[in-house]
Amino acid sequence: MSAPSSPSDAQSLDAGDSDAGLVPFEVHVPQAAIDDLRLRLSLIRWPDRETVQDWSQGVPLSSAQALVDYWIHDYDWRKCESRINRYPQFRTRIDGVGIHFIHARSPHPHALPILMTHGWPGSVIEFLDIIDRLTDPTRFGGRADDAFHVVVPSIPGYGFSDKPTERGWNPQRIARAWAVLMHRLEYRRWVAQGGDWGSAITHAMASQRPQGLLAAHVNLPLVVPEILPAHPSKEEQEALSGIERYLNQMAGYADQMNTRPQTIGYALNDSPLALAMWMYEKFFEWTDNRGRPEDALSRDHMLDDISLYWFTGTGTSSARLYWEGVGHTIREHSFFSGSRAASGRIDLPMAASIFPRETFRAPRAWAEAAWSNVFHWNEVDKGGHFAAFEQPALLATELWNAFRGFRDQL
């Protein structure tokens, strides 16, 4: 179950970077940028109201106006800055791109290092409510033996990492960069976790098996069979229906970013309203809610994430990951198919936690066909696509339980 011990790509990439230091970093958005945001929000030219009584045409006008009113009059970005800055942050240069990351070390001496990767429209903010649970489980009813050292990088083109200026930053290249990061932090043995694009990147790492990577966990297993079953079981039929629903009713955003990220990027970079609704719609569609995004995530939490994208100007650069990872590299319609083709069969020990309102719920049989060593599989009773954001306590418990058997390899 241990990772191979031969020299890794991480070491060779690390040696090739002339600026490989770790530079302390702290978030501080200039007040002028906050004032500019409020001014832009006050000058919105609203569209006419939808002609339906639900979200089937997109974000309802009344919901959009309520969120923006809160953004202008009640939301405080400085509180978000304080939350992020509670944790040690750094930047380092890997493969020519500056990478931002949170590095929260556990007070417990035998903690297991874990690398956690976000997706779109997420960011490192997704993990702010789970970090303490992982670094110090004893504060939350867990055991000291289950503690983690937590590393949370911002994907290139997202948040406070640099925006790539050349082609090629797909999940496979990001996975190699993450291996460099863990090598640079001098972690000899570590595990990985991710959802959404973080899952695709984690699958890529698991396929590459960099030196030191012991095992991985995802909350979106990308394990669709190359040949779909002719006579699917009930569980398989539910998964296929989920994929069909996603492609037919929910994938318009992905089709645009897969094919023309630059075009949608003009709206996302120039209009805070466009950016907010592009993301707010996904907080509605992908969370475990009762009809409103606010049932699953607070307005403050959603606006923390939306504001991060706005202040860093990463609407366009984050969209390019779709063009790189699916639209250009794979040329397949489905995010799931693209990730499957890129990863192939995985022999690294793999685990998954399945949340009920995930966009796609893979059957365990599909995972066992794609992963030779499934060491943990659990279906939980609440939560959606943004596992750490929606249910930090539940995901923390899943990670405590899943990786318990790997701690003797440190």
Side-chain angles (χ1 to χ4, degrees), residues 15-53:
D17 267 298
S18 58
D19 182 12
L22 304 177
V23 180
F25 180 85
E26 189 170 88
V27 176
H28 180 75
V29 170
Q31 185 60 42
I34 298 174
D35 295 341
D36 175 75
L37 170 60
R38 289 201 175 104
L39 175 61
R40 289 169 182 264
L41 292 173
S42 72
L43 297 175
I44 287 171
R45 187 174 73 166
W46 292 102
D48 53 310
R49 185 191 179 281
E50 65 280 358
T51 58
V52 294
Q53 302 300 315

Side-chain angles (χ1 to χ4, degrees), residues 369-390:
W371 305 341
S372 65
N373 186 347
V374 180
F375 68 89
H376 175 89
W377 185 276
N378 190 36
E379 297 187 16
V380 298
D381 61 358
K382 56 186 176 181
H385 185 70
F386 305 95
F389 216 8
E390 296 178 62

